[in-house]
Amino acid sequence: MFWHQNSLCCDFHVGVSLQLLARLEARRCLKDIEPQLFADDGGPDRGEVVEVYGPEGTGKTELLYHLLCRCVLPEAAGGLEVDVVFVDTDYSLDVFRLASVLDSRLSAVLRSCLSRLLVVRCSSSSELLLTLHFLETTLSSRPKAALLLIDSISAFYWSDRSEGGASVAKQEEKLSRCSELLGRLLRDYRITIFATCHPIRRTSSGPPSSSSEADRSHLCRAWQRLVTHRLVCSKQEAEHNPANGDQGSGEQRNRQVFTVHCSSWTGTKGSRVSSFRVTDGGVEFVWTHRPPPGLSVVL
Amino acid sequence: MVALLVGMCPGLDEGLLRSLRAADIRTVEDLVSSDIEDLAQKCSVSYKALFAVRRVLLAQHTAFPVSGADLYEELLSSTAILSTGNPSLDKLLDSGLYTGEITELTGGPGSGKSQVCFGVAVHIAYHLKQSVIYIDTTGGLTAGRLLQMLQTETNNRDEQMEALQRIHTFRLFDVCALLDCLYGLICGRGRGACVGGGSVKALIVDSVSAVIAPLLGGKQNEGMSLMRQVAAALKTMAKDFSVAVLVTNHVTRSGSGEAQPGLGVSWSHVPTTRILLERVESGASGRRSATLIKSSRQACLIKEDFDLQWWSRAEGGRGGGGGGETSGKRKLDETDP
């Protein structure tokens, strides 16, 4: 009996120490993942969560592809050469679009770039919770994985609400559990998370402001506490420039411009507004604008 | 939530299940989220056995991660582009309906959504020789119309019948029947048609808003949850079985008076490509204009005019071919009257 217990303890300790080693190895910091989006030196550090919020057609998934490409490209091509885990709850990952964005940067090493990406598809919040538990072992075995992309975290909002019945606590239970688990993964493995979120009601068109009522997150408090940066995406009115000549930029004339308003409330508090267009080669930033230093960020 | 049952995995026997229930662990999620060491002590079972059970259950119930490179290779070999039969529409859709994606046609009453769906079904069944599943929720589908369209393609009775047999139709009028039909197609039960067979390349649902719109609004959440289930079922069919899904939707007026697709914000991210159909004020009765309002491949808001009668055109003008002519396509140099 004693010997049996002893061997159990041995296994247990070996298991824990392997996990401990995996946690201690520093994963790549992603502060410089896209300096054009975040305020000066305000990019997401290890253990931080960025929520990308906005109605459909505002370029959220394109932004994720842009960040993904930046991460999987080899350092020689200007990338960060880290592994990425992509949790797809919406069945919206378009691998061909991703491949064409990667292709336009670097065609020869397409396959090796794509092999740094791991895709998981979940069809319910229970499956998401169990998959996140499973991902813990994946993260231990892949020390280079530094980025977790979730598209989108609000996919099961309505299913959870109807399953939960009348009690709000029951409705939010699954997402709260997922958020707690994500918090633990953040602390233990020091990864960075980007997650997209769809709004549930239509907002009136107009310049987005960080204090707008309609842009407040509708997800549970446990998730809201995890989020350290928020990128609110919106569409601008399509530019019509009939004055432009027809030389080459005729295509560009009608390209939709998307605006991203970034608020961060960790480290260097700040906010930033940037704009981008979507071209065949991916996201192309147009101009960026920082609000004057006196303006406080209202959350 | 998945309940824990005896025999779910080796090692999960009656005794273990009873002690877990006594410790208030009833579902797989509870077991996976709890601390195994504590639980082993509380239930006085061996840590090793419990850890093994947890590992097997986790492997059974989680989604399997796939490497991006493998996903790319798999999609390269299984994705196909289905032409709609109308070159203007094909131009908007970047050469046709893509398998693995949901395309939405939206428009007001009389804008021609059903006619476009008929035309696409006939083109795929006759020219591309693939099976089509047509789910009709409005009662607008008649075999006579499909036959009429086929008769302009060919005069051979056998070929017409063969093409008609490739179009499997389902007529239903509420969302539960729709869900039942979709799940049945995924699992392979029901009237012969099964998406797993490989020859079904297109699924047309006309219209999805007719069954969902009556459930939305008001205080109940059921409608939104059912809409989400329909979306998930359509997406599963599209991605896992490499099927091109075409759905139709109604329009509502936005605050500024423009037409926008119905079913609200929560449905808007489900289709990958959206086309708005409108009548053309001037011009013949068959002319419609199609505007691309959402696409991941092309710049938005490009517009194309096309003729609804494209799918039923024949030699010698509108209204069916004359006697004795062999089937043939009319060249594009003539303009429609």
Side-chain angles (χ1 to χ4, degrees):
Chain A
M1 195 59 187
F2 176 73
W3 180 82
H4 183 58
Q5 292 242 335
N6 219 3
S7 71
L8 272 180
C9 289
C10 261
D11 280 346
F12 173 61
H13 285 304
V14 165
V16 165
S17 46
L18 277 177
Q19 279 198 336
L20 205 60
L21 275 176
R23 289 175 204 167
L24 287 178
E25 275 180 53
R27 293 175 195 255
R28 178 92 165 58
C29 175
L30 298 175
K31 250 185 165 198
D32 53 350
I33 190 171
E34 185 46 80
Q36 300 217 51
L37 272 180
F38 298 94
D40 268 345
D41 202 30
D45 205 344
R46 278 184 285 248
E48 294 189 353
V49 180
V50 181
E51 187 190 58
V52 185
Y53 180 90
E56 66 86 23
T58 50
K60 300 189 295 295
T61 310
E62 276 293 326
L63 264 183
L64 286 190
Y65 292 163
H66 174 78
L67 298 167
L68 218 165
C69 288
R70 175 112 167 87
C71 285
V72 299
L73 281 176
E75 291 199 340
L80 302 174
E81 218 170 312
V82 293
D83 285 355
V84 177
V85 180
F86 191 108
V87 177
D88 185 9
T89 61
D90 251 353
Y91 277 75
S92 63
L93 174 65
D94 185 356
V95 188
F96 287 135
R97 175 75 192 135
L98 183 60
S100 69
V101 174
L102 276 174
D103 215 21
S104 62
R105 313 261 180 109
L106 197 59
S107 25
V109 292
L110 183 65
R111 206 172 195 286
S112 73
C113 291
L114 282 179
S115 62
R116 286 196 202 105
L117 167 68
L118 201 62
V119 178
V120 190
R121 281 193 191 139
C122 299
S123 54
S124 72
S125 44
S126 312
E127 208 180 337
L128 179 63
L129 180 61
L130 293 172
T131 308
L132 288 175
H133 277 289
F134 186 77
L135 277 181
E136 198 169 349
T137 39
T138 314
L139 285 176
S140 318
S141 59
R142 281 183 167 226
K144 287 184 83 178
L147 178 64
L148 175 63
L149 293 174
I150 305 181
D151 184 12
S152 64
I153 193 85
S154 58
F156 309 121
Y157 176 73
W158 290 110
S159 322
D160 285 349
R161 250 182 96 160
S162 89
E163 264 182 50
S167 130
V168 176
K170 269 212 108 201
Q171 286 170 8
E172 298 184 339
E173 188 195 341
K174 286 193 204 159
L175 193 57
S176 306
R177 276 183 160 181
C178 289
S179 311
E180 279 160 21
L181 182 56
L182 284 173
R184 210 184 70 207
L185 289 177
L186 284 169
R187 277 193 308 273
D188 291 343
Y189 295 93
R190 309 298 286 158
I191 51 175
T192 311
I193 298 182
F194 275 74
T196 59
C197 176
H198 299 287
I200 47 171
R201 56 189 80 85
R202 216 183 279 271
T203 55
S204 54
S205 55
S209 61
S210 49
S211 58
S212 147
E213 280 288 324
D215 283 338
R216 197 172 294 158
S217 182
H218 53 95
L219 298 173
C220 65
R221 288 216 71 77
W223 169 255
Q224 289 182 32
R225 273 196 293 264
L226 268 189
V227 175
T228 51
H229 304 261
R230 202 139 186 269
L231 299 172
V232 180
C233 304
S234 59
K235 257 197 282 213
Q236 271 184 8
E237 288 305 312
E239 304 174 339
H240 293 297
N241 289 336
N244 268 359
D246 293 11
Q247 320 101 339
S249 63
E251 265 282 325
Q252 296 255 330
R253 228 186 307 157
N254 289 329
R255 289 276 180 189
Q256 181 76 45
V257 179
F258 303 101
T259 321
V260 184
H261 185 102
C262 169
S263 349
S264 318
W265 44 93
T266 181
T268 54
K269 299 194 199 321
S271 81
R272 187 168 184 159
V273 179
S274 34
S275 294
F276 64 91
R277 273 202 201 98
V278 177
T279 60
D280 283 342
V283 164
E284 201 182 271
F285 284 91
V286 176
W287 55 269
T288 55
H289 153 75
R290 233 159 296 151
L295 197 68
S296 61
V297 174
V298 180
L299 300 170
Chain B
M1 296 286 200
V2 187
L4 282 171
L5 301 167
V6 178
M8 224 173 184
C9 81
L12 191 61
D13 53 11
E14 278 279 352
L16 182 56
L17 202 61
R18 242 195 322 259
S19 21
L20 284 176
R21 284 214 185 115
D24 208 21
I25 304 282
R26 286 169 215 287
T27 63
V28 176
E29 289 87 4
D30 290 335
L31 178 58
V32 168
S33 320
S34 47
D35 187 4
I36 296 292
E37 216 191 325
D38 274 347
L39 200 55
Q41 274 179 357
K42 231 194 287 186
C43 303
S44 47
V45 291
S46 90
Y47 172 83
K48 220 178 188 176
L50 205 54
F51 191 76
V53 165
R54 177 188 191 269
R55 197 170 33 191
V56 172
L57 283 176
L58 203 54
Q60 276 178 353
H61 289 100
T62 56
F64 192 68
V66 181
S67 145
D70 292 338
L71 200 56
Y72 181 61
E73 302 285 322
E74 188 197 316
L75 281 182
L76 262 187
S77 58
S78 62
T79 303
I81 307 180
L82 301 167
S83 158
T84 58
N86 183 317
S88 318
L89 266 188
D90 280 348
K91 204 159 117 188
L92 271 192
L93 291 169
D94 195 18
S95 54
L97 297 171
Y98 278 62
T99 57
E101 289 184 7
I102 301 183
T103 310
E104 183 185 85
L105 281 178
T106 171
S111 55
K113 309 185 290 289
S114 298
Q115 291 298 315
V116 173
C117 290
F118 295 160
V120 169
V122 161
H123 179 85
I124 295 177
Y126 180 70
H127 288 276
L128 304 178
K129 302 215 183 330
Q130 301 289 338
S131 296
V132 180
I133 296 182
Y134 196 112
I135 299 182
D136 178 30
T137 64
T138 57
L141 174 69
T142 54
R145 177 71 184 126
L146 293 177
L147 186 60
Q148 194 184 36
M149 284 175 146
L150 273 171
Q151 275 164 349
T152 62
E153 302 279 356
T154 170
N155 279 337
N156 184 334
R157 188 101 185 133
D158 290 331
E159 280 180 25
Q160 288 167 3
M161 286 303 120
E162 211 185 298
L164 274 184
Q165 272 174 354
R166 285 194 206 106
I167 305 180
H168 305 272
T169 60
F170 294 85
R171 181 169 286 166
L172 18 103
F173 299 105
D174 69 270
V175 72
C176 296
L178 176 63
L179 281 173
D180 196 38
C181 176
L182 290 174
Y183 291 143
L185 287 170
I186 294 176
C187 301
R189 55 184 158 86
R191 301 198 266 131
C194 164
V195 281
S199 73
V200 175
K201 281 283 169 241
L203 168 73
I204 304 179
V205 183
D206 178 23
S207 76
V208 76
S209 58
V211 286
I212 296 180
L215 300 171
L216 299 178
K219 287 220 185 290
Q220 72 262 30
N221 299 324
E222 283 298 314
M224 301 297 277
S225 164
L226 286 167
M227 180 164 80
R228 167 96 191 112
Q229 281 181 39
V230 170
L234 288 174
K235 287 221 161 182
T236 307
M237 285 231 267
K239 295 261 168 171
D240 290 348
F241 297 106
S242 272
V243 168
V245 178
L246 179 64
V247 299
T248 61
N249 194 359
H250 65 283
V251 286
T252 56
R253 296 278 154 191
S254 71
S256 46
E258 298 172 359
Q260 63 190 12
L263 292 182
V265 179
S266 307
W267 176 263
S268 59
H269 60 269
V270 173
T272 323
T273 313
R274 289 179 125 178
I275 293 185
L276 177 69
L277 292 177
E278 285 163 319
R279 287 171 165 256
V280 172
E281 295 307 320
S282 57
S285 61
R287 295 211 70 87
R288 297 289 184 272
S289 88
T291 315
L292 189 65
I293 47 181
K294 177 182 176 186
S295 165
S296 53
R297 278 182 290 272
Q298 310 212 78
C300 274
L301 302 178
I302 43 181
K303 226 173 165 160
E304 285 283 332
D305 280 0
F306 68 102
D307 188 358
L308 273 186
Q309 282 160 6
W310 176 264
W311 287 281
S312 25
R313 72 205 181 284
E315 292 270 333
R318 300 192 275 166
E325 283 167 350
T326 53
S327 77
K329 294 242 178 57
R330 192 175 56 166
K331 293 295 180 216
L332 267 168
D333 39 9
E334 300 175 54
T335 52
D336 285 328

